[in-house]
Structures are given as structure tokens and as C-alpha cells.
Amino acid sequence: MSSPDGPAPDGLRAVDVLTVTAVTDVTPSVRRVLLTGSPDAVAAAGPTVNLLVPRVGDDAPRWPRIQRDGRIVWPEGSHGIALRSYTARRQDPAAGELEIDFVLHGDGPAAAWAGAARPGALLGVAGAASLAERPARWVLMVGDETALPAITRLLAAADPATTGVAYLEVAGPEEEQPLAAPPGVAVHWLHRDGTPPGESTLLVDAVAGLDRPETDDLFAWVGAESAAVRAIRADLRGRWGLSRAQHHAIGYWRRGRAMSPAG
Ligand SMILES: Cc1cc2nc3c(=O)[nH]c(=O)nc-3n(C[C@H](O)[C@H](O)[C@H](O)COP(=O)(O)OP(=O)(O)OC[C@H]3O[C@@H](n4cnc5c(N)ncnc54)[C@H](O)[C@@H]3O)c2cc1C
């Protein structure tokens, strides 16, 4: 299902609404949700996508609308819709299909929605953005489960001659996923082995133990819990001396804090 054509006279347009058609558990804590929509809606929903997540069981959500400048206009009163950032792991506009991997972390409106998702459930889309990558001969990819969809896309799209290192933090071997990477990129899975997500220093330590490569044609991409990302960003800017154009490091979630309140 997609939005009606064009904005209304007040300049507000409806959000695109996608419908769940299949749900698969790819690992014990990652649920893949296949959504369908019009080709235009699917093409516009990624790679990074702002999802409008209804309350579990809400079959007729009171969606917000979108202003010409992209700002969200929320309906008055309680609507129970949460705005959360996710990654379109796969987008196929021609088939009208979009896949999102949700980490079932046990708390929060988006994880709860994914945990209860069934065919026919609805999800809104309120804008999208790039993954902020820059092609380079040497890449560093650092992320936890939440960034695995983004890193999967980035490595799949990388030039086959790309070299580099990827550090991927997951709970354990059962959470590893097949990853197509250029042969020159060394992929290291790091296991928390019982340490709760957001409390491990695996990614920070791995980067701290890595020497900067000789080349300046390099790019570091980092997505994980915010405190870990802050430490890695400081290391890459300080010890490695990376310029802003040479790295993108953003917190994908915050330990102990919701990304934004549900309305
Ligand atoms: C650009 C971008 C792309 C993202 N892509 C994805 C993606 O493709 N798949 C994905 O699963 N996530 C992705 N995330 C992360 C996701 O947005 C957050 O995990 C978000 O907090 C989930 O919302 P929620 O409603 O489930 O929990 P919230 O209401 O935000 O938080 C509730 C509680 O859950 C905790 N929490 C949140 N996330 C986790 C976690 N992963 N592990 C343990 N505890 C957690 C919080 O600390 C808080 O205490 C992305 C984030 C960004 C910024």
C-alpha cells in the first residue's frame, strides 16, 4: 500500500505504508521482515530508513503526515507511533519488496513490533538517507548486530579489489550471518560470550589494536552502541588522524535509553 499521489492543499502528504508479507528468524536474535509496497515507496525507503512503528496490535494506526521540507507532522493526541532508524538490508523496487533485519533486543517499541510482526501488519516510512559511505581502496568496517545490515550492503557493493578489515560484534557464533565481502577484506566476528550488548569493549579494543594502514585512500565506517562509537571515533581521529571525509561513525543505539519516545 502506498501514499496517494502528491501533497494535499495544505502541503502535507501521506506517509508511505508498507505491508508485512513474511517473517523469518535468521538467527536467535535477528528477525527478518519482508515488506511490500509500490515500486516508488520501496525505492524511497532506504538504505537508511526512518520507520514509523505502530503499537503492537494497532491495525489502524493514526499516521503522521509529511511537510514539503520533509518534517513530520504528528496527529494530535496519543497515537502510539514511534520513530526509529533502520536499514533496508535489501530493496527491490521492481518486485515491490524491502527487507529489514530487526534485532530482538527485548525492549522498546520497534523490537516489540518486530517480535509480534505477522503478515498483514503495517509499517510507515517517514524518509530515508544514505549510509554515508565513501569508496576507498582500504576500508575499516566496525559494527554490532544493529549495523550488520548496513555493513552487509556496504561490503556487497564494494569494488572487488577493496582491501581492509571488518570487526563484527555479535552475542556468539549462532549470531554470525553469511557475509559477501571482497576477498581482500578480512572479516573478524567478535563474540560477547555472555557480556550484555552495550557493555562489551570488543569493538573498541579491536580498533585500538589495529595500526593505521599506510595509504590515505581509506575510509572507516562505524555503527554500534553510542559509547563504543564515541571511543572508536576518538581513536580514529586521534591516533589515526582521520579527517571527517575519511570516516563515518554514528551511534546506532544508546544503552539504557530509548532513541525517542513513542507518541
Ligand atoms: C541509521 C541507523 C540504522 C539502524 N539500522 C538498524 C537495523 O537495520 N536493525 C536493527 O536492529 N537496528 C538498527 N538500528 C538501531 C535501532 O534503531 C535501535 O536499536 C533502536 O533503539 C531500536 O528501537 P526500539 O524501539 O526497539 O528500542 P528503544 O525504545 O530505542 O530502546 C529501548 C531500550 O532498548 C535498548 N536497546 C535498543 N537497541 C538495543 C540493542 N540493539 N541491544 C540491546 N538493547 C537495545 C535501549 O538501550 C533502551 O534501554 C539502526 C540505528 C540507526 C541510527
Side-chain angles (χ1 to χ4, degrees), residues 84-87 101 103 105 109-111 146 252 254 256-257 259:
R84 294 288 183 274
S85 297
Y86 276 80
T87 308
D101 280 2
V103 176
H105 58 82
T146 62
Y252 262 32
R254 290 180 295 200
R257 286 179 63 188
M259 288 308 271

Side-chain angles (χ1 to χ4, degrees), residues 122-255:
L122 305 177
L123 205 50
V125 172
S130 77
L131 291 170
E133 76 277 29
R134 192 179 64 76
R137 285 175 57 139
W138 193 96
V139 295
L140 173 64
M141 297 276 158
V142 181
D144 63 15
E145 292 93 335
T146 62
L148 197 48
I151 292 176
T152 300
R153 266 186 91 142
L154 292 171
L155 288 178
D159 186 297
T162 307
T163 56
V165 177
Y167 291 124
L168 304 168
E169 180 193 305
V170 294
E174 70 285 0
E175 293 295 335
E176 293 184 13
Q177 292 189 38
L179 192 69
V185 175
V187 176
H188 301 277
W189 292 92
L190 310 175
H191 299 153
R192 283 192 297 275
D193 287 333
T195 302
E199 291 183 26
S200 106
T201 58
L202 285 169
L203 294 175
V204 178
D205 295 345
V207 175
L210 190 65
D211 290 330
R212 186 197 199 283
E214 300 272 304
T215 179
D216 273 334
D217 188 1
L218 83 172
F219 188 76
W221 192 99
V222 185
E225 197 282 325
S226 292
V229 171
R230 271 199 305 279
I232 293 167
R233 189 195 292 126
D235 194 15
L236 293 175
R237 285 185 184 172
R239 190 171 57 90
W240 280 29
L242 293 195
S243 67
R244 283 183 187 276
Q246 288 174 314
H247 70 289
H248 173 76
I250 69 159
Y252 262 32
W253 61 284
R254 290 180 295 200
R255 182 158 78 97

